[in-house]
């Protein structure tokens, strides 16, 4: 089943996702790095050995920094890995390279999220949920804007654009976030986290055609976005299933896609198909928890 | 102050600690990677740019694996970074390379530690502390021993030897742990975690000379170990202060060494000197928490 794939295309994707895993891990975007690694492992098997991971020049320039800044980056990254976010941010305080700036602001964002969680009451109190704010967000927005004023728009760092979008959404400025997020995915389409944030900007199905007109046409990541966003908007249409089938042809073992299909079946009230797909995922990767909360709903209705 | 340092020696150390940061991060040994990065940042400033991080061939062979195993490693590493330890271990279940085996067993060890913490009662109950065991440990010991039976002793992986030592200590076999841990630090001296575990095997000061006879003589990491172990055994002797001074000459801004000096002063009842050193550390890196519990003791006695 499935149309014949060009082995060269598969090899290019293999390299793209391996590079993404590296770039995202370097920036402590762990969830997005995990998604890339899962996509990589979802591609068809290949007899040919993978080439060494070579980062293309235009992405390599995002890693440019002085030797002393590189040493500070290494310490800050290690602190972040040890969950010492404030310490990581302070180590990078005076750094100017965009990679260090990203990690500095991202560490402060995570630290702000942790403090917000601590400050918010358990449930249903006056400080529950959205009432408690991440106090770092407004400062991060200001500093990223200041940073962007110092560089030419042509050399915008897609990871900084992504983080700017995250902060704007957190600050309830979803409309303002749309522009930096679309720019981020156009410059570098392989950061899944940026697509997920872009998905948050799509409130209803009427907005989808405009959003799709703003992203790289025909790119495999655009198709992933189309399927995932349509699924979240309960669009179990033939066209969505067709795009999903194309992707499943490229990534025959990518469990994320299996789950998208399971959810689309669920929305289409095809509960037995949905349960079978979820069951397959559980057998393949029993400790995979992402998106599995829906499985209990499916089991409930099929009982 | 301090004798003149050979700039070539400093450059070699810079490269050694940068490589260590990479090898340790790759294996999710975050605390040890952080210590290496702090040591790297503690070396004197250098006008010359750092060379690219080049991993020596004998260490590169520790990273050897097939393409498909490398892809599984990338996914497992990402899962570990997302704290999905059981999932990481399962992804690597059938891998045979020593790097993948390390990450598989280390993930299972950490998962076992988490479950042990959950099982143990809060405090002072019958299941408190050591009464609850990490159920993975005995399995990991068996599997590592089985793995070692399949490879020539000459190609033992120092990270696996380290993990074997950790598991043996956890299993209350401190004496058995001594041999693999000394072997680990002799093969690869730049994993600080291995030295820390070796330090646990030294119960009293009488054992120290024998231990020191088993490690690489004159190596900078052996000196670090000598100072740290002596300090933990309350040996504020002239000879220890002399070794510490040598290290401070090589690493003028390494806060870990400042703390060793502060602790040695504390043991020697020189509380004011100790307080001044701790105060310096707090000003330099206010969010650094490691070893800072002693500072409150010092402040208490100097009040």
């Amino acid at each position: 089943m499935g149309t014949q794939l060009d082995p060269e295309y598969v090899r290019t994707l293999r390299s793209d996702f391996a590079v993404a895993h590296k770039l995202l891990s370097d920036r402590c975007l762990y969830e997005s790095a995990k998604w890339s690694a899962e996509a990589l492992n979802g591609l068809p098997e290949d007899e040919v050995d993978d080439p060494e991971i070579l980062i293309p020049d235009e992405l390599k320039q995002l890693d440019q920094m002085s030797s002393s800044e590189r040493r500070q980056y290494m310490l800050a990254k290690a602190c972040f890995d040890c969950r010492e976010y404030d310490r990581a941010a302070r180590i990078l305080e005076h750094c100017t390279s965009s990679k260090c700036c990203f990690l500095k602001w991202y560490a402060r964002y995570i630290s702000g999220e942790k403090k917000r969680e601590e400050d918010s009451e358990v449930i249903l109190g006056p400080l529950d949920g959205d009432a408690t704010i991440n106090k770092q967000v407004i400062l991060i927005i200001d500093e990223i804007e200041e940073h962007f004023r110092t560089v030419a728009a042509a050399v915008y760092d897609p990871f900084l654009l992504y983080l700017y979008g995250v902060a704007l959404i957190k600050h309830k400025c979803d409309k303002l976030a749309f522009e930096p997020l679309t720019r981020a995915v156009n410059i570098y389409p392989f950061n899944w986290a940026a697509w997920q944030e872009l998905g948050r900007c799509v409130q209803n199905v009427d907005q989808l055609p405009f959003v799709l007109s703003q992203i790289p046409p025909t790119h495999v990541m655009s198709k992933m976005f189309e399927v995932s966003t349509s699924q979240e908007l309960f669009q179990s249409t033939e066209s969505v299933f067709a795009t999903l089938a194309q992707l499943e042809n490229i990534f025959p073992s990518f469990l994320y896609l299996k789950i998208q299909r399971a959810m689309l079946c669920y929305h289409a009230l095809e509960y037995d198909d949905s349960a079978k797909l979820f069951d397959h995922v559980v057998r393949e990767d029993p400790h995979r928890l992402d998106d599995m909360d829906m499985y209990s709903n499916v089991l409930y209705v099929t009982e």
Side-chain angles (χ1 to χ4, degrees), chain A:
Chain A
M1 63 180 262
T3 45
Q4 193 63 41
L5 274 175
D6 175 6
E8 264 317 303
Y9 177 57
V10 174
R11 246 162 255 158
T12 307
L13 284 178
R14 214 185 283 286
S15 164
D16 287 336
F17 283 109
V19 166
H21 176 267
K22 164 102 179 72
L23 298 182
L24 295 163
S25 297
D26 278 359
R27 283 160 184 85
C28 297
L29 291 166
Y30 302 136
E31 289 288 340
S32 195
K34 187 175 71 183
W35 191 93
S36 294
E38 206 181 81
L40 176 66
N41 280 274
L43 288 164
E45 272 304 315
D46 192 348
E47 299 298 301
V48 184
D49 272 354
D50 296 356
E52 238 195 298
I53 300 171
L54 282 178
I55 299 177
D57 285 343
E58 72 274 17
L59 294 171
K60 232 181 196 165
Q61 75 181 21
L62 298 174
D63 284 0
Q64 293 289 324
M65 59 183 91
S66 67
S67 290
S68 80
E69 211 157 287
R70 187 170 306 279
R71 281 174 242 138
Q72 288 167 305
Y73 162 78
M74 286 160 81
L75 180 54
K77 167 80 166 60
C79 289
F80 195 114
D81 287 337
C82 292
R83 305 180 208 170
E84 299 175 16
Y85 308 111
D86 289 329
R87 190 175 173 203
R90 192 174 182 280
I91 289 163
L92 300 172
E93 205 172 5
H94 302 295
C95 292
T96 55
S97 69
S98 69
K99 188 171 178 178
C100 286
C101 285
F102 175 86
L103 198 60
K104 170 176 72 183
W105 290 319
Y106 187 49
R108 275 175 43 197
Y109 175 79
I110 299 285
S111 164
E113 281 296 279
K114 295 220 151 257
K115 292 204 182 78
R116 188 183 62 75
E117 279 165 28
E118 285 161 22
D119 291 349
S120 70
E121 293 178 20
V122 186
I123 34 164
L124 298 176
L127 294 175
D128 179 37
D130 284 358
T132 329
I133 62 159
N134 178 337
K135 288 167 190 147
Q136 289 297 324
V137 161
I138 184 75
L139 303 169
I140 293 168
I141 291 173
D142 281 351
E143 290 182 38
I144 297 184
E145 286 176 355
E146 179 61 34
H147 175 88
F148 281 151
R149 272 192 286 275
T150 66
V151 296
V155 292
Y156 275 14
D157 179 318
F159 300 102
L160 279 177
L161 286 164
Y162 153 71
L163 185 59
Y164 184 48
V166 169
L168 285 171
I169 288 176
K170 207 77 191 176
H171 200 56
K172 310 272 179 212
C173 302
D174 295 32
K175 279 194 181 154
L176 286 177
F178 182 75
E179 200 266 341
L181 289 171
T182 43
R183 216 196 270 207
V185 299
N186 275 283
I187 300 176
Y188 184 62
F190 288 96
N191 174 12
W192 182 240
W195 291 100
Q196 282 177 301
E197 293 298 321
L198 189 62
R200 281 174 206 266
C201 299
V202 188
Q203 302 297 327
N204 61 63
V205 72
D206 302 336
Q207 297 172 337
L208 199 52
F210 174 71
V211 177
L212 295 179
S213 76
Q214 301 296 302
I215 61 176
T218 76
H219 196 285
V220 70
M221 293 295 282
S222 300
K223 288 192 198 299
M224 293 278 186
F225 172 76
E226 192 183 336
V227 168
S228 129
T229 312
S230 303
Q231 182 271 109
E232 288 189 8
L233 295 167
F234 310 137
Q235 298 304 300
S236 303
T237 62
E238 260 182 53
S239 134
V240 173
F241 274 111
T243 311
L244 178 56
Q246 276 179 38
L247 288 171
E248 286 170 327
N249 190 39
I250 305 172
F251 301 88
S253 336
F254 190 10
L255 295 182
Y256 175 83
L257 292 176
K258 293 273 180 302
I259 286 177
Q260 297 312 301
R261 183 172 283 278
M263 306 276 248
L264 285 165
C265 289
Y266 178 78
H267 302 323
L269 314 181
E270 294 158 8
Y271 300 131
D272 288 335
D273 289 350
S274 181
K276 262 181 220 154
L277 286 158
F278 274 118
D279 189 57
H280 171 80
V281 171
V282 171
R283 268 182 289 115
E284 286 291 305
D285 194 351
H287 300 286
R288 187 189 196 284
L289 295 178
D290 311 326
D291 322 297
M292 289 308 281
D293 43 343
M294 187 59 88
Y295 191 21
S296 60
N297 294 356
V298 175
L299 289 176
Y300 180 78
V301 292
T302 52
E303 234 167 38

